[in-house]
Amino acid sequence: MSFLNKYRKITDTVILFLLTFFFCYVGGHLRLPFVFSMFWIANAVIAGIFVRYPSTHRPINYLVCALAMFLNDYLFSGWLYSAILINTANIIFIAIVALGLKGLWKHHSKQLTPKQVLILFPVCLAAALASGIWGGIVSTSGTVASDIVINISLWVSEQLSTGLMILPLILSFKRSKKFQWQYTSVLAVLSVPVLFLFASLIKGPGSIVFPLPILIWCALVLPVFISTLITFLVGVLEIMMVYEDIMSNHALDSYPEAMALVSIRLGVAAMVLTPFMVSVTIDAITTLNKQLEIRANTDFLTQLLSRAGLFEKLSRLPLKNGQSVGMILFDIDYFKSINDTFGHQAGDEVLSDLGYLLRRDYKKKFYIARFGGEEFAMIGLNICQQALYEQAELLRQRVAQHEFSLGDRSLSITISLGLAMGTTKSNEGWQQLITRLMSQSDTRLYLSKAEGRNQTTPNWSEGSLLISDQRQT
């Protein structure tokens, strides 16, 4: 193991210890009378880190997290034996979630999928039941059955609701791509507090579903993480709102009031997954559409634009009247003989290597497309005749000097080029302009081939430029 890997693992362990201690400290101060904790976020945070960053999911880190939990209880609560028993429940929850979701996230930057969202609920439910039963039993002071049932119910509902609110936040954090706020997205965010105000007026467990339509709207128009964050805040506020309503006239140690809190927690747990699933599904569909668009507009062999992709790309650009546009149309000399002599696989390797050369050296200056077979086109905007010719000659010489690798051998090729310069006319679109330039450059390409290949022929007189001997390589 390298020193860097050892240092990274040690750093991860130290960070996990500090995070666990911090969140246990915060959770300990959120404890309310007759309730072990209102929101115990440490378990979901650590479990989420183990799932999102698989390299941190190691046995030693379980021990370190348990030590941080025990140390927090010992220092601030004075617990000793009971701290070991209670924190065992926390480790049970973390372990079941981390092991249940293990392998679903191969890398922390991978996009979330609807399948991963669906599996969150059963895994969190199993973890909440196992840890809640253990924690509810060991934390109950008496032996009355009703007290044990109440305590287990509070444990299970708290672990499930907090887990399903926290885990989506961790799993979607920093996954959102560049986002531009629009009228609908701003309106959706502003509508959340309005509907939550109505929910607070309604009160009671039924109020939890009132903001759901707005949360789904947020999921449709906002990035996954922002939508999840809003849902998390609404869920927390709703639990607190119902709790305050219950506690205004009653004590939570009685069965009806405790079950009311359990009900609201379970309702929120189920509710938060709905907008999360919608948001992840929309994100997946958007990504798929972009991939399909890229495949439709990109030549898979050279990774350049296809002919249709070139027109699609240019159609998005403004076209001003009188704008100068230049085209370089070229193809590979004697390409058929390469396929006949070395096989079509060798021809594909030449095309792929040429595509890499074009992307590396010319992508910032031209829009480049493979028109089919061995024919390529390059479009330059706001370029003069001299610059277009110089770039074409530079390309011709680079290709001639480049060694194309064909397994255990190399091959040299040449290209013939035809150039066309034009300016946009009134009421002329990109398709008409490119078609006109293509016709002119194709005629010049034919002349380059007729005159011996490996040369450049423009659609203007050579006397208008100081042209060096274009047959030199």
Side-chain angles (χ1 to χ4, degrees):
M1 184 186 299
S2 66
F3 172 78
L4 185 60
N5 286 336
K6 288 182 178 179
Y7 176 78
R8 186 190 66 184
K9 289 187 174 183
I10 293 173
T11 303
D12 289 344
T13 301
V14 172
I15 292 174
L16 281 170
F17 176 86
L18 296 175
L19 282 176
T20 305
F21 188 88
F22 171 76
F23 284 114
C24 285
Y25 174 81
V26 172
H29 287 74
L30 291 177
R31 290 171 180 154
L32 299 172
F34 309 110
V35 185
F36 176 72
S37 63
M38 191 67 178
F39 300 104
W40 187 257
I41 61 178
N43 296 352
V45 170
I46 301 304
I49 292 174
F50 282 168
V51 175
R52 179 77 184 272
Y53 303 92
S55 62
T56 64
H57 188 211
R58 297 182 290 127
I60 185 64
N61 288 336
Y62 280 102
L63 182 61
V64 168
C65 291
L67 179 61
M69 293 176 183
F70 171 79
L71 184 61
N72 174 78
D73 284 335
Y74 179 74
L75 291 177
F76 299 104
S77 301
W79 298 348
L80 187 60
Y81 177 69
S82 59
I84 297 175
L85 293 177
I86 290 175
N87 287 314
T88 299
N90 297 330
I91 296 300
I92 289 174
F93 180 89
I94 294 172
I96 292 177
V97 171
L99 293 173
L101 301 178
K102 184 179 179 180
L104 290 180
W105 281 268
K106 300 296 184 182
H107 191 268
H108 66 87
S109 62
K110 291 294 184 180
Q111 185 179 18
L112 288 166
T113 65
K115 177 183 176 181
Q116 293 166 333
V117 178
L118 281 175
I119 204 172
L120 270 180
F121 186 84
V123 169
C124 282
L125 180 59
L129 286 171
S131 64
I133 292 172
W134 175 272
I137 293 173
V138 301
S139 64
T140 303
S141 57
T143 58
V144 180
S146 61
D147 292 340
I148 297 176
V149 171
I150 290 175
N151 215 21
I152 290 175
S153 300
L154 291 172
W155 262 81
V156 172
S157 63
E158 187 280 326
Q159 291 286 298
L160 180 62
S161 60
T162 305
L164 289 178
M165 287 191 295
I166 293 289
L167 282 169
L169 278 177
I170 298 175
L171 298 178
S172 63
F173 181 64
K174 285 190 175 180
R175 291 185 187 271
S176 299
K177 302 171 185 177
K178 291 183 178 179
F179 176 71
Q180 187 174 1
W181 287 89
Q182 297 179 351
Y183 172 76
T184 54
S185 53
V186 174
L187 186 59
V189 174
L190 295 178
S191 300
V192 173
V194 176
L195 257 72
F196 185 79
L197 179 61
F198 280 108
S200 65
L201 296 176
I202 296 172
K203 297 184 179 181
S207 64
I208 64 170
V209 299
F210 205 74
L212 186 57
I214 295 299
L215 294 178
I216 294 177
W217 185 15
C218 290
L220 291 172
V221 299
L222 295 173
V224 178
F225 177 72
I226 298 177
S227 171
T228 304
L229 178 60
I230 292 174
T231 304
F232 165 76
L233 295 174
V234 170
V236 169
L237 291 173
E238 285 189 329
I239 292 176
M240 295 177 64
M241 178 182 67
V242 175
Y243 173 78
E244 289 295 330
D245 184 49
I246 294 172
M247 288 296 292
S248 60
N249 299 311
H250 305 280
L252 199 58
D253 56 347
S254 62
Y255 186 81
E257 285 72 28
M259 289 301 103
L261 180 59
V262 170
S263 176
I264 188 65
R265 281 174 168 172
L266 295 178
V268 169
M271 182 198 71
V272 295
L273 279 184
T274 303
F276 186 46
M277 171 61 81
V278 171
S279 184
V280 170
T281 302
I282 293 297
D283 192 49
I285 292 174
T286 301
T287 301
L288 178 61
N289 288 337
K290 289 182 179 179
Q291 291 174 346
L292 292 175
E293 181 182 352
I294 290 173
R295 289 182 182 181
N297 294 331
T298 304
D299 175 63
F300 78 97
L301 189 60
T302 61
Q303 298 302 304
L304 299 171
L305 293 171
S306 63
R307 186 168 185 155
L310 177 65
F311 281 103
E312 173 67 22
K313 195 86 170 180
L314 293 174
S315 66
R316 300 177 183 177
L317 302 176
L319 187 60
K320 301 177 182 178
N321 187 29
Q323 182 178 359
S324 61
V325 179
M327 170 179 276
I328 301 174
L329 189 67
F330 69 92
D331 65 13
I332 301 173
D333 296 330
Y334 304 108
F335 185 73
K336 184 177 182 300
S337 65
I338 296 176
N339 286 330
D340 294 342
T341 304
F342 301 103
H344 288 278
Q345 178 64 34
D348 288 347
E349 290 179 7
V350 169
L351 292 172
S352 178
D353 201 4
L354 179 58
Y356 170 75
L357 186 150
L358 292 170
R359 296 195 314 272
R360 183 192 66 188
D361 297 339
Y362 293 93
K363 194 172 182 179
K364 293 182 179 179
K365 303 174 184 176
F366 293 90
Y367 292 94
I368 314 170
R370 180 188 176 194
F371 269 21
E374 70 276 21
E375 189 174 56
F376 297 81
M378 300 168 59
I379 303 296
L381 306 183
N382 301 314
I383 190 170
C384 65
Q385 292 180 348
Q386 182 72 40
L388 185 67
Y389 183 84
E390 289 176 353
Q391 290 294 328
E393 276 295 278
L394 182 61
L395 171 62
R396 182 182 65 82
Q397 294 167 14
R398 281 183 179 175
V399 171
Q401 295 167 3
H402 184 77
E403 294 292 329
F404 290 82
S405 177
L406 300 179
D408 58 347
R409 63 168 64 91
S410 60
L411 177 70
S412 295
I413 66 171
T414 60
I415 59 175
S416 297
L417 306 91
L419 310 185
M421 279 291 303
T423 56
T424 57
K425 301 177 181 179
S426 59
N427 299 324
E428 184 180 42
W430 277 111
Q431 186 169 357
Q432 293 83 0
L433 173 62
I434 298 303
T435 301
R436 174 161 57 90
L437 294 178
M438 194 184 305
S439 175
Q440 297 175 18
S441 57
D442 187 58
T443 302
R444 269 57 186 186
L445 172 59
Y446 177 80
L447 291 176
S448 293
K449 287 182 171 293
E451 301 235 349
R453 293 180 168 84
N454 189 26
Q455 57 186 281
T456 303
T457 305
N459 71 333
W460 57 84
S461 64
E462 296 186 6
S464 63
L465 297 174
L466 297 175
I467 300 177
S468 60
D469 184 7
Q470 54 189 351
R471 292 175 175 77
Q472 293 181 358
T473 60

